[in-house]
Amino acid sequence: MSTPIVNLHDHERAAQAAMSDAAWAYFSGGAADEITLRSNVQAWQSLGLAPRVLQDLRGGHTRCQLLGQTWPMPLLVAPMATQCWAHTDGESGMALAAAAQGCGMVLSHQTSTDLSEVARLVVAEKDRGPLWFQLYGLSDRGALLDLLGQVEAAGYEALVLTVDAPVHGVRDRERRHGTAWPEGIHTPHWPTATHSAGDSGLCAGLAAQAPTWADVPWLIAHTRLPVLLKGITHPGDARQAMALGAAGVVVSNHGGRVLDTLPATAELLPAICDVVRPLGGAVLVDGGIRRGTDLFKALALGADAALIGRPALYGLAHAGARGVAHVLRLMRDEFEMTLALCGCPTPQAITRGHLQALPALPVM
């Protein structure tokens, strides 16, 4: 008799059993010694809760405000590449599951499903979350303008420019197993590489094609959509993003996949919120969120919402769209329970006063 799946850790184990070694290495692995990958999870666990009792919980809800709109839940699926490799439902199944649970989704620039097809499935859904599109490179501005037109016409509501990955991280697990995408998996919106091994500069010339701060105002000027910068880990970068007209930032270390020994996002979040929130910008965070209590803690530290990546992918990998829906439902149920048990009828009632540091355990 199979063990019931009752939490996100169970989904992870089921996904590993269902995936090839190469796919598992690609989707679950982190950079180098995977210190940041592990610390992302551990940092949320190291924060204690400080519940208040006998609070009036009537009229409670999970609604949140993001970029001037009200959404059912402060949770989005993070952008993840080539989801059709994990399961044939791919990005379409991911989007349908997110919409069914009132959660948002950020579609990856490296999507293996056409962006218009994904949007058609969910844009008209009444109780869905936000639908945003991720961008990476900005070097081919002609192609980018065409892509922006497609994104806007399809109904996406914001752009998320990933800024922390000018080159790949050192991913040992991938290098051991090999991660060539299976035949038949395509990325219809990903630009064709223009550098070669003979190019000069860092990383065979690839680093020279990465976006710079000068590209941010250009992007903002050439789209009617709000632009958020994803991969912000330094308060100075958050301040500069807002000064250039960004609508907000996503505090992210790329799930520990790019630069190892970066601090956990839970540790980085408060200082960035202190910069961005007074300027009216949105702050989101990802990395290591595995429980409804983690989502509560993210909001207590100042985030408007959080993104969840690998757990949603794990649900997809072993059970398709239904698996994703179950992952997000677990998160939603746990978050509602945490709200009630901490004496908060709504996400807006959460403050940093609902957190406390856990005492260090004695060394045995």
Side-chain angles (χ1 to χ4, degrees):
M1 183 176 178
S2 60
T3 303
I5 293 178
V6 300
N7 59 41
L8 273 57
H9 305 294
D10 294 338
H11 276 285
E12 181 174 353
R13 287 187 286 270
Q16 184 173 10
M19 300 172 81
S20 69
D21 289 344
W24 180 251
Y26 176 74
F27 287 114
S28 70
D33 298 310
E34 301 187 343
I35 294 167
T36 297
L37 176 66
R38 293 189 296 272
S39 66
N40 272 346
V41 176
Q42 294 164 356
W44 298 113
Q45 296 171 343
S46 70
L47 289 170
L49 293 170
R52 303 303 302 272
V53 299
L54 299 176
Q55 304 299 301
D56 187 351
L57 301 176
R58 290 173 294 182
H61 62 76
T62 62
R63 294 189 295 275
C64 70
Q65 290 277 328
L66 276 177
L67 304 182
Q69 296 189 64
T70 300
W71 302 104
M73 181 77 180
L75 185 68
L76 297 83
V77 174
M80 293 173 285
T82 58
Q83 294 174 26
C84 285
W85 187 8
H87 192 278
T88 53
D89 285 357
E91 290 84 1
S92 296
M94 188 74 76
L96 285 169
Q101 296 303 322
C103 297
M105 177 172 172
V106 185
L107 184 68
S108 172
H109 198 159
Q110 298 183 75
T111 174
S112 48
T113 308
D114 188 275
L115 68 87
S116 297
E117 179 181 336
V118 173
R120 278 196 299 270
L121 291 171
V122 300
V123 162
E125 290 294 320
K126 178 183 176 183
D127 296 321
R128 66 174 175 87
L131 181 63
W132 298 350
F133 188 84
Q134 178 212 32
L135 291 172
Y136 266 105
L138 303 178
S139 57
D140 186 343
R141 290 187 172 179
L144 179 59
L145 288 172
D146 178 68
L147 179 61
L148 292 177
Q150 295 179 55
V151 170
E152 293 176 3
Y156 290 81
E157 291 136 342
L159 298 172
V160 179
L161 177 64
T162 292
V163 297
D164 63 344
V167 298
H168 282 289
V170 177
R171 301 176 193 164
D172 292 354
R173 272 205 262 174
E174 287 187 30
R175 296 191 293 184
R176 289 192 184 98
H177 293 283
T179 55
W181 294 341
E183 188 175 350
I185 302 296
H186 304 291
T187 51
H189 306 294
W190 189 242
T192 303
T194 58
H195 75 289
S196 66
D199 288 340
S200 62
L202 295 174
C203 304
L206 186 61
Q209 300 183 43
T212 69
W213 285 112
D215 293 304
V216 174
W218 181 91
L219 176 61
I220 292 170
H222 285 82
T223 180
R224 59 180 176 79
L225 301 179
V227 175
L228 300 96
L229 302 192
K230 181 178 184 293
I232 298 296
T233 58
H234 194 288
D237 289 341
R239 187 175 294 108
Q240 187 161 358
M242 297 306 297
L244 291 175
V249 302
V250 181
V251 179
S252 173
N253 53 34
H254 219 99
R257 289 172 62 82
V258 174
L259 181 63
D260 201 20
T261 68
L262 261 175
T265 50
E267 297 170 357
L268 298 166
L269 178 60
I272 294 174
C273 287
D274 289 345
V275 168
V276 176
R277 295 301 294 272
L279 299 175
V283 181
L284 294 88
V285 63
D286 70 8
I289 290 176
R290 299 293 184 270
R291 288 283 186 179
T293 47
D294 298 339
L295 176 56
F296 182 97
K297 293 170 186 179
L299 271 57
L301 291 174
D304 296 290
L307 300 96
I308 189 169
R310 288 182 179 92
L313 194 287
Y314 295 152
L316 179 74
H318 77 89
R322 288 188 176 185
V324 180
H326 190 238
V327 165
L328 298 177
R329 186 72 222 186
L330 287 171
M331 284 295 299
R332 182 165 189 159
D333 288 348
E334 290 187 10
F335 180 60
E336 289 193 27
M337 293 176 199
T338 307
L339 283 173
L341 292 170
C342 286
C344 298
T346 69
Q348 293 71 36
I350 304 172
T351 70
R352 290 188 188 179
H354 288 101
L355 296 179
Q356 56 188 330
L358 287 174
L361 294 175
V363 178
M364 303 299 292

